[in-house]
């Protein structure tokens, strides 16, 4: 009996140890993003967790934190946290990284792009690779580009058909470059965290905002608190899935390959569902009661001309050579 008892104890201990080390080897990484859990940002993050968990047989999982909760709701602070290794992953938009990396504003220069083909030529080509190098210098490894999309303008005062219609409107904006754009149009820009924006629109603290249809306006239910939308396509905003360089360098080559593959697939999925939602979005917003104005080419040119001072100011800030790299790639894609 004594030998049997010892044998049973040994077996139990072995099982317990195996369970302990199995648990110890499993790793849960943290990913933060700006928006709510109904958005394509969140769906892309969940897809990344699903793919990475499957690729590693559950040894690596990703816990997703929406609404920038890990940075106290400060969407600009997330990149800085990733840069210093306090956060593993982030999905954020280029414009939200500009306080840390001003060059990222190049993507969002007013009227740089006219269509998705031009966008994809830059993110998939040499300009996108250059931006990855710049981000790497700030200790953030860009694993894959996703999409926030072309930013459209909404407000509660009147339809926006000309630059003059922007004059005096209190507009919520996400970053410094958009402050200069709104000033060029005669609007009154208010920089504000996204988590504060819905209530600010609801209460009339601000008159309007600008964001992409598929990634933000529809899933964040902006149509409930805004009456007018103009599809002016004035600025494009990519998102990216990035990882702390410190965390990235801790992985062996096999793990890096799995993380990279999961990120690439997840962001391709995120971009696809964002574009699908955007394509269907105008009709949906009209059904929800929004008045949607689609400017003519001549009207868009008036907005382009009016925002040229902001374009020139930010071209100088991000670097004229970098801007030319983007412009040349855009021109070649036409």
């Amino acid at each position: 009996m004594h030998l049997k008892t010892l044998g049973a104890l040994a077996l139990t201990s072995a099982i317990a140890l195996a369970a302990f080390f199995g648990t110890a080897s499993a790793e849960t990484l943290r990913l933060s993003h700006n928006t709510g859990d109904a958005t394509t940002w969140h769906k892309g993050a969940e897809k990344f967790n699903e793919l990475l968990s499957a690729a590693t047989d559950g040894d690596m999982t990703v816990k997703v934190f929406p609404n920038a909760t890990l940075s106290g709701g400060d969407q600009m602070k997330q990149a800085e946290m990733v840069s210093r290794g306090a956060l593993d992953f982030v999905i954020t938009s280029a414009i939200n990284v500009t306080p840390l990396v001003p060059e990222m504003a190049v993507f969002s220069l007013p009227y740089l792009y006219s269509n998705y083909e031009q966008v994809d030529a830059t993110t998939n080509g040499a300009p996108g690779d250059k931006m990855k190098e710049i981000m790497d210098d700030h200790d953030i490894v860009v694993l894959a580009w996703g999409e926030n999309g072309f930013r459209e303008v909404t407000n509660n005062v009147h339809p926006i058909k000309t630059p003059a219609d922007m004059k005096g409107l209190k507009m919520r904006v996400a970053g410094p470059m958009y402050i200069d754009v709104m000033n060029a149009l005669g609007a009154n820009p208010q920089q504000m965290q996204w988590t504060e924006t819905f209530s600010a629109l609801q209460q009339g603290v601000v008159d309007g905002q600008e964001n992409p249809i598929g990634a933000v306006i529809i899933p964040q239910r902006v149509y409930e608190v805004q009456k007018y939308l103009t599809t002016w396509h004035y600025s494009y905003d990519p998102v990216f899935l990035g990882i702390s360089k410190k965390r990235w360098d801790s992985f062996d080559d096999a793990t890096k390959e799995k993380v990279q593959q999961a990120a690439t697939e997840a962001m391709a999925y995120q971009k696809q569902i964002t574009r699908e939602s955007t394509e269907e979005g105008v009709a949906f917003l009209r059904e929800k009661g929004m008045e949607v104005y689609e400017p003519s080419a001549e009207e868009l040119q008036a907005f382009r001309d009016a925002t040229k001072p902001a374009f020139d100011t930010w071209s100088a800030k991000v670097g004229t050579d970098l801007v030319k790299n983007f412009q040349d790639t855009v021109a070649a894609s036409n």
Side-chain angles (χ1 to χ4, degrees):
M1 289 293 294
H2 181 65
L3 288 174
K4 286 183 179 180
T5 302
L6 287 175
L9 285 171
L11 180 60
T12 302
S13 298
I15 293 171
L17 283 170
F20 172 80
F21 284 113
T23 302
S25 65
E27 188 173 22
T28 300
L29 304 171
R30 297 181 304 162
L31 184 153
S32 179
H33 70 80
N34 304 3
T35 60
D37 59 11
T39 63
T40 63
W41 296 43
H42 192 78
K43 291 174 182 177
E46 287 185 320
K47 176 65 74 173
F48 177 55
N49 172 48
E50 174 190 322
L51 293 167
L52 185 58
S53 180
T56 61
D57 296 323
D59 285 343
M60 293 179 74
T61 59
V62 178
K63 185 170 177 57
V64 179
F65 295 85
N67 293 315
T69 52
L70 295 182
S71 58
D74 188 337
Q75 60 198 51
M76 303 287 185
K77 190 178 178 182
Q78 294 171 111
E80 181 269 329
M81 290 177 67
V82 173
S83 178
R84 59 184 170 86
L87 183 60
D88 300 308
F89 294 102
V90 67
I91 292 179
T92 191
S93 70
I95 204 66
N96 283 305
V97 185
T98 54
L100 179 69
V101 190
E103 294 94 333
M104 286 292 274
V106 65
F107 286 107
S108 303
L109 289 169
Y111 294 102
L112 173 66
Y113 298 110
S114 300
N115 54 55
Y116 289 135
E117 289 75 21
Q118 294 172 353
V119 167
D120 292 342
T122 58
T123 54
N124 296 335
D129 291 341
K130 180 61 179 176
M131 299 315 298
K132 287 182 179 181
E133 289 177 18
I134 291 172
M135 290 296 292
D136 191 74
D137 289 340
H138 291 270
D139 296 323
I140 298 174
V141 178
V142 174
L143 297 171
W145 300 105
E147 182 152 285
N148 201 20
F150 283 101
R151 304 178 76 99
E152 316 295 13
V153 65
T154 71
N155 83 104
N156 264 335
V157 178
H158 53 232
I160 294 171
K161 301 180 181 181
T162 70
D165 294 328
M166 292 292 296
K167 189 172 183 179
L169 292 181
K170 298 190 296 290
M171 298 298 299
R172 178 268 175 185
V173 295
M177 190 193 75
Y178 292 137
I179 291 176
D180 289 345
V181 172
M182 290 299 165
N183 282 331
L185 291 167
N188 181 10
Q190 309 286 320
Q191 188 166 338
M192 185 180 296
Q193 300 296 330
W194 177 250
T195 51
E196 303 167 353
T197 301
F198 191 91
S199 61
L201 293 168
Q202 196 171 37
Q203 296 163 15
V205 175
V206 291
D207 298 315
Q209 61 85 54
E210 44 73 55
N211 257 305
I213 290 174
V216 177
I217 290 174
I218 291 175
Q220 298 285 139
R221 307 176 75 88
V222 174
Y223 53 83
E224 293 182 353
V225 291
Q226 294 277 268
K227 177 66 175 174
Y228 305 101
L229 180 143
T230 296
T231 56
W232 64 350
H233 305 326
Y234 90 118
S235 179
Y236 177 81
D237 195 20
V239 300
F240 67 88
L241 172 51
I243 182 173
S244 158
K245 193 170 190 304
K246 180 179 178 182
R247 174 64 71 180
W248 179 252
D249 289 343
S250 74
F251 296 153
D252 60 30
D253 288 346
T255 302
K256 285 180 179 179
E257 185 176 348
K258 291 174 183 177
V259 172
Q260 179 63 71
Q261 183 62 31
T264 300
E265 290 185 30
M267 287 295 96
Y269 165 77
Q270 188 273 337
K271 183 183 289 188
Q272 176 188 341
I273 60 174
T274 298
R275 290 186 180 179
E276 288 172 353
S277 180
T278 298
E279 186 176 353
E280 302 161 358
V282 168
F284 175 86
L285 292 172
R286 283 187 168 127
E287 288 175 10
K288 290 296 182 180
M290 289 196 85
E291 292 186 23
V292 179
Y293 186 74
E294 300 180 78
S296 66
E298 292 76 15
E299 289 168 327
L300 287 176
Q301 186 61 48
F303 285 112
R304 184 178 289 107
D305 293 342
T307 56
K308 184 66 162 52
F311 185 102
D312 293 341
T313 295
W314 279 85
S315 290
K317 287 185 179 182
V318 304
T320 53
D321 288 344
L322 183 60
V323 174
K324 187 176 186 304
N325 188 1
F326 272 72
Q327 289 175 318
D328 289 347
T329 302
V330 166
S333 73
N334 291 333

